Amino acid sequence: MTSWPLGILAVALLAAPAGQDPAAPASAAPAPPDAAASSALKPALPDPEERELKLAPLKEIGHVKATTAFCQAIIDHAVKAVTLGIDNDRRIEVVQQTMRSSDFDSSLLSKNRALLDLTNQNGPLTEQAVAAEKAAKALRVDAEKAPTPEEAKELNAFADALDGALHRQRTIARDVASMIAIFNMHPNVTKDERDEAVVNEQLKDGYRGNVAYTSADDRVMPLLTKIAKDGADDIVTRQGGITHDELQAADLVEPVFGGC
């Protein structure tokens, strides 16, 4: 399957004026990348059990006993950021599965139901992502009070890695919110209606003397369900970046919290 970054989605959908038939040509919409190239760009996600094992040090921060006020501060901020971040990993999984399995096209009822599900799932994800980022950024303030320059350096590196994962989560939540808003603006179009629009474009090609530079199918906006599935593929790719940052943070748990 091809992957459509959610930023491109907005360009594709907003290419048609608000009053225009949603199945009409969307000439400004960029073509999705080649499937093989898209697959090659996707980072390999670790096995779920392997991932949980590697992230175990992050979860163990909550069991560290503070020996100083500095330790108490960094433990409190780290536990909040990590707890919300790991919970957001699960929430993102639910969001992308909903995007992949929902029907946005067959009826207005099915579209609205799918958008309601996404809204209810993405709202808490957004709130938690913002709160987690604030907690991670507080660690940089804590670093200014570190007993030694080396401890400050290690804490900043930990905060950077953790904040990287949390920022990626927040941008996913933001892009899903944008998708929900854009889908709300566009009427649902059934597969039959879209097929008819493609045929009409093909007929226009005949009238033009076959001078079209893109295929009729590419000039008609994709079904919302397909765009949502491509967006889910894009989220899976971005989850690889989240995991990478979380694992980097996990590797720094011992240097940062070992002295507490």
Side-chain angles (χ1 to χ4, degrees):
M1 297 181 69
T2 56
S3 174
W4 277 47
L6 297 182
I8 295 178
L9 155 69
V11 177
L13 291 181
L14 293 177
Q20 182 176 319
D21 181 352
S27 57
D34 176 78
S38 175
S39 298
L41 291 174
K42 290 184 179 180
L45 296 175
D47 177 88
E49 290 186 5
E50 178 186 359
R51 179 183 181 279
E52 288 299 306
L53 181 62
K54 290 182 177 179
L55 291 182
L58 283 179
K59 300 176 183 178
E60 288 301 315
I61 295 174
H63 300 144
V64 176
K65 293 184 178 180
T67 56
T68 65
F70 170 74
C71 284
Q72 187 64 60
I74 65 174
I75 290 171
D76 287 346
H77 291 143
V79 167
K80 182 174 183 180
V82 168
T83 301
L84 291 175
I86 290 177
D87 187 57
N88 277 346
D89 286 338
R90 301 187 186 98
R91 291 181 182 275
I92 288 172
E93 188 67 28
V94 172
V95 164
Q96 68 98 353
Q97 288 297 336
T98 297
M99 290 170 64
R100 196 180 302 283
S101 62
S102 296
D103 173 15
F104 295 89
D105 303 314
S106 63
S107 70
L108 179 60
L109 178 62
S110 66
K111 172 192 166 184
N112 287 342
R113 183 180 294 123
L115 290 177
L116 179 61
D117 287 343
L118 271 183
T119 300
N120 290 338
Q121 294 162 5
N122 200 55
L125 170 62
T126 301
E127 293 176 9
Q128 289 195 174
V130 171
E133 265 197 301
K134 287 182 179 178
K137 285 177 170 57
L139 289 170
R140 296 196 183 97
V141 178
D142 295 333
E144 297 174 2
K145 305 172 185 177
T148 67
E150 184 61 29
E151 288 176 280
K153 179 180 177 181
E154 291 170 342
L155 181 55
N156 273 318
F158 174 80
D160 288 345
L162 189 57
D163 191 41
L166 299 173
H167 179 72
R168 293 177 195 271
Q169 292 178 342
R170 186 165 67 85
T171 57
I172 287 175
R174 178 202 64 197
D175 289 348
V176 172
S178 296
M179 187 196 78
I180 292 170
I182 294 168
F183 275 28
N184 268 317
M185 292 171 55
H186 287 262
N188 60 291
V189 175
T190 66
K191 183 179 183 303
D192 287 344
E193 289 170 336
R194 185 181 185 278
D195 289 344
E196 182 179 354
V198 172
V199 170
N200 289 336
E201 282 299 302
Q202 291 170 337
L203 292 174
K204 291 178 185 178
D205 288 345
Y207 300 147
R208 294 168 182 155
N210 295 321
V211 295
Y213 296 100
T214 57
S215 72
D217 187 71
D218 288 340
R219 296 197 304 274
V220 176
M221 194 180 83
L223 294 173
L224 298 184
T225 295
K226 181 183 185 305
I227 295 174
K229 288 179 179 178
D230 289 342
D233 288 344
D234 178 58
I235 289 177
V236 170
T237 299
R238 294 160 73 175
Q239 284 176 301
I242 294 172
T243 296
H244 173 270
D245 289 343
E246 288 176 340
L247 294 179
Q248 276 197 325
D251 288 339
L252 292 165
V253 168
E254 178 57 32
V256 173
F257 299 93
C260 291

